[in-house]
């Protein structure tokens, strides 16, 4: 048979077309031209079904890399003879590719990551990506870095009765965790700082009556929702909130305009965020702008906030490009802050960056020392993180802590509104600095305890009374919560020492004794608050403790579960959601409702039976 004749070519094409389509769908080979290229028949054929349709075949086509497609130029003119024993496969009998299950379809609709995986390049196994890749194994994209820390361990009250830490008012961790979950990823363990998750939300604690005593603690003890043998000790404060019209601020915007900021969720979002902040300032305030990208520069000299058009014009002219010289920019920003310093007012540098510091002071310790030295002059530093993939959270946290400021992660315009509009007092105006907490547990009542979160805020026992040791600051109107899980005597996990003391601990009926130290913003001498934790503060049911207790406990359980904590992970997502719903209370900003939706996302990405990542 002459294969070069048009009739022969057409016949062979008709014979090979079904096998070609079969191989096309099973190996994702994409034809490179309009002519039919004969392909070697597969060694094993797929099971056939009579109801195959071309539309179903085309719905899962995956492009094959070009280098894997070998097309011989003479294949168009010469075709190997087909053995007569091989019968053509009828078009109607070809097997369509396996269709995704309804559950997978729902997961793909709810999870863009799975949708992307379903469109993976050829060479990836589609069947495995459909059936063997549970949402819980969606890994975090590389590029972001976080300080590594070990979870707070359980302590025996008879051996270590005193716990000391610095308050943490930052909220960056929650905003980052939320973004990761919304993008279809489970955040890495070190990105989850449970105290920042809890403190992201406002709580209805009694406010201080005057600036002289800027806060007072609220204490409650109630059953632990994830462990029937333990209780939670809740310590909450709400800072005094002055009238903003009476405040004066000298603000220096230190803006990263390096090439890494060239992304819609970085510099463009930063400009819009600062526009929101500018609208909250009064004629008493001044604004300066410093940029750093290759070399530092002054984009705007100290200018009255009344000249909003001038300030916005300077912001609008900023563009991303160049390498990062963060340290040089910081030095220039502090010089401008000192130049326009307001006695008795707020003097603050606001660093906005994706956290990349590649040039300048290379030694992180030297950079932190520089910031710490500058805070002594009355100029604080706050950090706003933007974007993902280049985020150096560890450096931003260290700079904010050493600069007597706070760190926030601006993941969206809505988050910018929360931080820079709704919480502007807490972001800009400090009402108490170097706030330390020390709790002494009574071994006669408490056998074991552990602090939930605050791993990066640990202080030594002797640091509490040392006013030279730096600690966290509290802003105007800010609420801060700390939770201890405590175990009553007789229900402890740790066995008593065989050769230890046989004498029973002596003491009062107090559960614990709370001490807090703080300094007024313009003082170097700390003040002391002391409150005993007594039996009348104990509630038999968490519902009786109120919505603050219920919601804080739900967020703590969420944080423990999402990071596969050694404590508290046994609580199911449904139980966490129910507890959060019970503690929603008044939710003017809708943040608690948003958290409840976030629990649903976490349940999809990390099901209850998933214990590790």
């Amino acid at each position: 048979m002459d294969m070069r004749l048009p009739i022969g070519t057409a016949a062979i094409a008709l014979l090979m077309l079904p096998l070609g389509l079969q191989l096309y769908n099973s190996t994702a080979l994409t034809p490179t031209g309009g002519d039919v290229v004969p392909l070697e028949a597969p060694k094993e054929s797929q099971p056939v079904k009579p109801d195959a349709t071309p539309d179903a075949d085309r719905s899962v086509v995956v492009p094959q890399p070009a280098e894997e497609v070998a097309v011989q130029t003479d294949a168009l003119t010469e075709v190997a003879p087909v053995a007569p024993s091989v019968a053509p496969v009828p078009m109607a009998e070809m097997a369509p590719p396996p269709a995704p299950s309804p559950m997978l379809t729902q997961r793909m609709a709810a999870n863009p990551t799975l949708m992307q995986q379903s469109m993976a390049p050829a060479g990836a196994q589609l069947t495995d990506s459909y059936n063997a890749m549970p949402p819980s194994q969606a890994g975090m994209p590389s590029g972001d870095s976080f300080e590594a820390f070990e979870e707070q361990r359980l302590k025996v009250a008879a051996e270590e009765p005193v716990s000391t830490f610095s308050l943490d008012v930052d909220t960056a961790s929650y905003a980052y965790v939320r973004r990761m979950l919304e993008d279809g990823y489970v955040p890495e363990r070190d990105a989850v700082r449970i105290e920042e998750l809890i403190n992201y939300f406002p709580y209805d604690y009694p406010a201080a009556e005057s600036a002289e005593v800027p806060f007072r603690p609220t204490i409650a003890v109630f059953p632990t929702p994830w462990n029937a043998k333990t209780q939670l000790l809740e310590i909450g404060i709400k800072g005094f909130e002055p009238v903003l019209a009476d405040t004066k601020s000298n603000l220096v915007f230190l803006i990263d305009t390096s090439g890494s900021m060239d992304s819609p969720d970085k510099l463009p979002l930063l400009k819009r965020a600062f526009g929101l902040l500018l609208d909250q300032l009064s004629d008493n305030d001044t604004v300066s702008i410093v940029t750093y990208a290759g070399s530092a520069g002054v984009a705007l000299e100290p200018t009255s906030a009344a000249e909003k058009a001038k300030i916005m014009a300077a912001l609008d002219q900023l563009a991303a490009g160049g390498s990062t010289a963060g340290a040089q920019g910081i030095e220039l920003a502090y010089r401008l802050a000192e130049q326009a310093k307001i006695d008795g007012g707020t003097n603050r540098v606001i660093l906005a960056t994706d956290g990349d510091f590649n040039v300048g002071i290379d030694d992180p310790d030297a950079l932190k020392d520089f910031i710490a030295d500058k805070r002594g002059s009355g100029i604080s530093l706050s950090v706003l993180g933007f974007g993902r993939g280049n985020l150096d959270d560890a450096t931003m946290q260290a700079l904010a802590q050493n600069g007597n400021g706070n760190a926030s992660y601006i993941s969206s315009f809505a988050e910018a509104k929360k931080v820079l509009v709704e919480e502007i007092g807490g972001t800009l105006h400090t009402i108490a600095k170097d706030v330390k907490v020390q709790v002494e547990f009574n071994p006669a009542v408490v056998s074991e305890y552990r602090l939930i979160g605050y791993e990066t805020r640990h202080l030594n026992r002797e640091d509490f009374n040392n006013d030279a040791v730096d600690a966290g600051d509290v802003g105007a109107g800010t609420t801060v919560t700390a939770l201890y899980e405590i175990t009553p005597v007789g229900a402890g996990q740790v066995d008593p020492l065989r050769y230890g003391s046989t004498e029973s601990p002596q003491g009062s009926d107090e559960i614990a004794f709370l001490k807090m130290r703080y300094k007024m913003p313009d003082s170097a001498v700390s003040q002391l608050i002391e409150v005993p934790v007594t039996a009348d503060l104990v509630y038999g049911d968490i519902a009786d403790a109120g919505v603050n207790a219920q919601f804080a406990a739900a967020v703590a359980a969420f944080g423990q579960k999402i990071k596969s904590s050694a404590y508290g992970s046994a609580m199911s997502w449904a139980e966490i959601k129910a507890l959060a719903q019970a503690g929603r209370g008044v939710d003017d900003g809708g943040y608690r409702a948003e958290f409840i939706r976030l629990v649903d996302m976490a349940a999809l990405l990390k099901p209850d039976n998933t214990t590790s990542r």
Side-chain angles (χ1 to χ4, degrees), residues 228-280:
K229 296 181 179 180
T230 65
Q231 298 171 307
L232 291 182
L233 166 60
E234 177 189 35
I235 302 170
I237 66 169
K238 182 174 183 178
F240 175 73
E241 194 164 7
V243 179
L244 289 180
D246 298 334
T247 62
K248 296 181 179 180
S249 300
N250 164 37
L251 306 179
V252 180
F253 296 165
L254 175 56
I255 300 178
D256 180 357
T257 56
S258 61
S260 63
M261 292 289 287
D262 188 15
S263 176
D265 61 346
K266 295 184 179 182
L267 187 58
L269 177 59
L270 182 155
K271 294 179 182 180
R272 298 168 62 202
F274 278 170
L276 287 177
L277 175 58
L278 185 61
D279 289 338
Q280 309 307 308

Side-chain angles (χ1 to χ4, degrees), residues 6-21:
I7 297 178
T9 301
I12 292 298
L14 289 175
L15 288 173
M16 296 301 296
L17 179 60
L19 289 176
L21 288 176

Side-chain angles (χ1 to χ4, degrees), residues 249-255 274 277 281 285-292 297-303 311 315 329-342 346-352 379-384 428:
S249 300
N250 164 37
L251 306 179
V252 180
F253 296 165
L254 175 56
I255 300 178
F274 278 170
L277 175 58
L281 303 180
D285 304 320
T286 62
V287 173
S288 311
I289 301 177
V290 174
T291 64
Y292 63 95
V298 177
L300 181 70
E301 295 285 348
T303 302
I311 299 172
L315 280 172
I330 287 177
E331 294 172 349
L332 182 54
Y334 273 99
R335 285 202 295 269
L336 280 184
E338 291 170 354
Q339 174 184 331
K341 187 175 180 180
I342 300 175
T346 296
N347 298 279
R348 187 177 299 264
V349 174
I350 301 178
L351 170 60
I379 301 174
S380 57
L381 173 74
S382 291
V383 183
L384 303 179
L428 297 183

Side-chain angles (χ1 to χ4, degrees), residues 349-362:
V349 174
I350 301 178
L351 170 60
T353 177
D354 60 1
D356 191 359
F357 293 85
N358 295 326
V359 186
I361 301 178
D362 295 329

Side-chain angles (χ1 to χ4, degrees), residues 16 30 77 111 203 237 244 323 338 372 374 426 437 460 467 475 481 492 546 562-563 567 569-570 579:
M16 296 301 296
T30 303
T77 58
N111 189 348
Y203 297 90
I237 66 169
L244 289 180
S323 63
E338 291 170 354
K374 291 299 182 181
V437 178
N460 296 324
D467 286 349
T481 303
I562 200 67
K563 69 182 299 176
Y567 310 95
S569 295
L579 184 60

Side-chain angles (χ1 to χ4, degrees), residues 393-407:
D393 176 83
T395 299
M396 294 193 297
Q397 292 288 327
L399 295 185
Q401 292 179 24
N402 283 271
N404 274 5
N406 41 45

